[in-house]
Amino acid sequence: MDKIIEAEGETIEEAIKIALEELKASQDEVEIEVLRENSKGFLGLDKKRARVRVVIKDKKIKRGTELVEKILELFNLKASVSCAEIEGRIHLNIEGENLGILIGRNGSTLQALQLIIGVGVNKGEETRKPVVLDIEGYRLRTEKSLKSLANRLAELAVNERKIVSLRPMSAFERKIIHEALQDNPEVQTISEGERSERRVTIRPVDEEK
């Protein structure tokens, strides 16, 4: 959770300095909002001291952004990175050109990067936060498409009371299928097969033996 403090000083710079000393943070680790500028007033009357609000960001967000920037540098890619905490998850989004190398076949590289960044973001932390990495909206598009497919095939499995097998999928894709149907009381999903042939099967819970 962000830590917030308000401080006053004869100048804005002094108020910021006081806040940073109390937070034990550097200026690049915080966001600063000027609440009131200092004023000498008229003939010394109505003199006002500067007041600022300083917010120290969650270190996990800063760490996640830095990790993605290092990866982009390693691949010599130019892209922008945005990071935000949404419903307890650290969401990292990369936008740019020619980023397919970071997505990989069927999202396999994206999934591997997400795991690596997740480990780095939570290293040494008592409480872990899941990391969600997306690149040029690939994850969002893929999730939408696979969830639609999962629901259609689950309906087919229930209506025809039979096991439905999907095509071989990456771990990233199989996870989406499992999550899409985890709350469906009429079916269960199982990953079967080895290596490149591993796939999800959808089984009606009242399947006839």
Side-chain angles (χ1 to χ4, degrees):
M1 181 178 292
D2 293 342
K3 189 172 181 180
I4 304 173
I5 190 170
E6 293 186 6
E8 291 189 355
E10 293 298 325
T11 63
I12 292 174
E13 291 74 18
E14 184 181 271
I16 292 172
K17 182 180 178 183
I18 292 170
L20 292 177
E21 287 177 352
E22 188 161 340
L23 289 170
K24 295 182 173 59
S26 60
Q27 194 156 336
D28 62 350
E29 294 177 311
V30 301
E31 289 185 353
I32 301 168
E33 180 184 1
V34 177
L35 300 176
R36 184 178 63 219
E37 295 188 4
N38 55 300
S39 171
K40 294 182 179 178
F42 180 68
L43 298 176
L45 299 174
D46 197 27
K47 181 180 177 182
K48 294 179 180 177
R49 288 161 58 85
R51 186 175 183 83
V52 297
R53 177 182 291 131
V54 178
V55 181
I56 185 166
K57 292 182 176 180
D58 189 322
K59 290 182 179 178
K60 296 187 183 76
I61 291 178
K62 182 172 182 286
R63 204 177 292 159
T65 302
E66 290 175 347
L67 284 169
V68 172
E69 289 174 344
K70 285 182 181 177
I71 290 169
L72 291 172
E73 187 178 342
L74 285 173
F75 282 88
N76 196 26
L77 295 170
K78 293 183 178 179
S80 61
V81 185
S82 60
C83 185
E85 183 176 343
I86 303 172
E87 297 180 346
R89 295 185 174 194
I90 304 294
H91 286 256
L92 289 155
N93 191 46
I94 307 175
E95 292 288 345
E97 296 180 354
N98 303 317
L99 299 180
I101 191 171
L102 299 182
I103 296 173
R105 186 180 180 186
N106 297 326
S108 57
T109 305
L110 185 155
Q111 186 68 8
L113 289 174
Q114 178 176 285
L115 290 173
I116 293 169
I117 294 169
V119 170
V121 164
N122 290 293
K123 185 177 181 181
E125 299 288 343
E126 291 183 1
T127 57
R128 297 178 59 82
K129 289 184 179 176
V131 169
V132 180
L133 176 66
D134 199 359
I135 301 173
E136 295 184 306
Y138 175 85
R139 175 181 293 280
L140 195 61
R141 294 193 302 276
T142 303
E143 284 184 352
K144 185 177 180 181
S145 174
L146 289 179
K147 284 179 180 177
S148 176
L149 175 67
N151 287 321
R152 289 202 310 274
L153 294 182
E155 187 175 349
L156 176 67
V158 172
N159 290 341
E160 298 193 9
R161 301 171 67 84
K162 69 176 185 180
I163 299 172
V164 177
S165 292
L166 284 76
R167 63 171 171 78
M169 290 180 166
S170 65
F172 166 67
E173 294 174 312
R174 295 197 305 272
K175 185 171 185 288
I176 293 172
I177 298 292
H178 288 304
E179 290 181 348
L181 299 177
Q182 64 184 359
D183 295 326
N184 188 328
E186 297 184 291
V187 297
Q188 60 177 331
T189 57
I190 300 172
S191 286
E192 298 178 330
E194 299 293 333
R195 299 183 178 181
S196 63
E197 289 302 311
R198 196 159 177 79
R199 66 189 68 207
V200 177
T201 58
I202 303 174
R203 299 168 181 264
V205 294
D206 60 348
E207 168 194 355
E208 290 183 349
K209 304 283 183 161

